[in-house]
Amino acid sequence: VTNGIATIKLKSTTRTGAMSVSCYGQNMTTQTVTIQSVAGPASKLLLTPNPYNLSPDLIADGNSTLTLTIKVLDAYNNLATQYAVPITLNIIGEGTWQDGTVEKSIVVPITGVATISLRSTSKSGPITISGTSIGLQSGTTGLMTIPGMATKLTVEIVNPKLKLPVIGSDETRFKVQVEDYNGNVVLTEPRNIQIELQNTKSELVT
């Protein structure tokens, strides 16, 4: 203490939050002050499909939807709550925005966060969403549209001999697929499929 005044320097951490500083002196009243550590300049984008630990996949039925969350972060992954510059989003693959379009979409973050809804197509496959904004590192995320419930079987002739030859050693092979309503192959555990031969001039070979 010099001339009744003492100084101290504090060094910030890489996390936002409140810090309390208390001063003690013999026979003196304790004084406490609170200092708020805030985020640094906005640095990058983080895109997260369907937060709150729900499944990030969409059913390939053309109606399944989820919410994409876009966060603006500083260099240390703190939320940059002051950033309010528009963010441009692009989507490619088996998904659309909720209104069915696939053109670029613009969102403006509020306190560093923006959201947008996605919709599946009727075909299974990957979806990639990317976000860009002036002066920030771009962000990208991916998810899948997956087949729905198995509803039908399709049969395909692998080597299309529509009429089997008389020679007993020749074979015509068929491929049977388990599909959902929209024709997506359902990748499930092996299941029993009954195959019947409806003429007596051929022999079923498995």
Side-chain angles (χ1 to χ4, degrees), residues 1-205:
V1 178
T2 303
N3 298 325
I5 298 176
T7 60
I8 187 171
K9 292 183 180 180
L10 298 179
K11 185 178 181 180
S12 67
T13 66
T14 59
R15 292 289 178 264
T16 58
M19 297 182 293
S20 295
V21 179
S22 297
C23 300
Y24 304 90
Q26 188 175 4
N27 300 322
M28 297 181 185
T29 302
T30 300
Q31 181 70 40
T32 300
V33 294
T34 300
I35 302 171
Q36 190 73 29
S37 178
V38 299
S43 175
K44 55 190 173 182
L45 297 174
L46 175 66
L47 280 61
T48 307
N50 215 353
Y52 314 118
N53 298 318
L54 300 178
S55 171
D57 294 325
L58 289 166
I59 302 300
D61 58 4
N63 294 309
S64 182
T65 62
L66 61 73
T67 299
L68 178 75
T69 300
I70 307 98
K71 293 183 178 180
V72 184
L73 306 178
D74 69 7
Y76 297 102
N77 297 322
N78 299 300
L79 190 63
T81 57
Q82 302 302 314
Y83 192 86
V85 178
I87 298 170
T88 301
L89 299 173
N90 290 278
I91 186 170
I92 58 174
E94 298 306 328
T96 70
W97 308 123
Q98 189 169 24
D99 61 4
T101 62
V102 294
E103 290 78 17
K104 292 181 180 179
S105 186
I106 306 295
V107 295
V108 178
I110 299 175
T111 62
V113 179
T115 60
I116 192 169
S117 294
L118 310 180
R119 182 183 298 276
S120 68
T121 66
S122 59
K123 183 179 178 181
S124 60
I127 304 173
T128 301
I129 306 102
S130 59
T132 58
S133 191
I134 297 173
L136 300 187
Q137 179 182 330
S138 61
T140 302
T141 191
L143 58 148
M144 296 289 295
T145 56
I146 59 176
M149 295 180 59
T151 61
K152 61 182 178 180
L153 299 175
T154 61
V155 180
E156 175 186 352
I157 302 175
V158 177
N159 53 336
K161 298 178 181 179
L162 297 182
K163 294 183 178 180
L164 289 174
V166 178
I167 302 174
S169 61
D170 286 345
E171 300 174 359
T172 293
R173 295 187 178 277
F174 299 87
K175 180 173 69 175
V176 180
Q177 289 188 165
V178 181
E179 299 180 352
D180 66 7
Y181 178 81
N182 293 298
N184 299 296
V185 178
V186 179
L187 304 176
T188 60
E189 296 181 358
R191 62 177 65 198
N192 293 326
I193 298 175
Q194 182 176 352
I195 301 175
E196 295 181 355
L197 191 63
Q198 296 184 346
N199 70 69
T200 59
K201 297 181 180 180
S202 301
E203 178 182 356
L204 183 62
V205 179

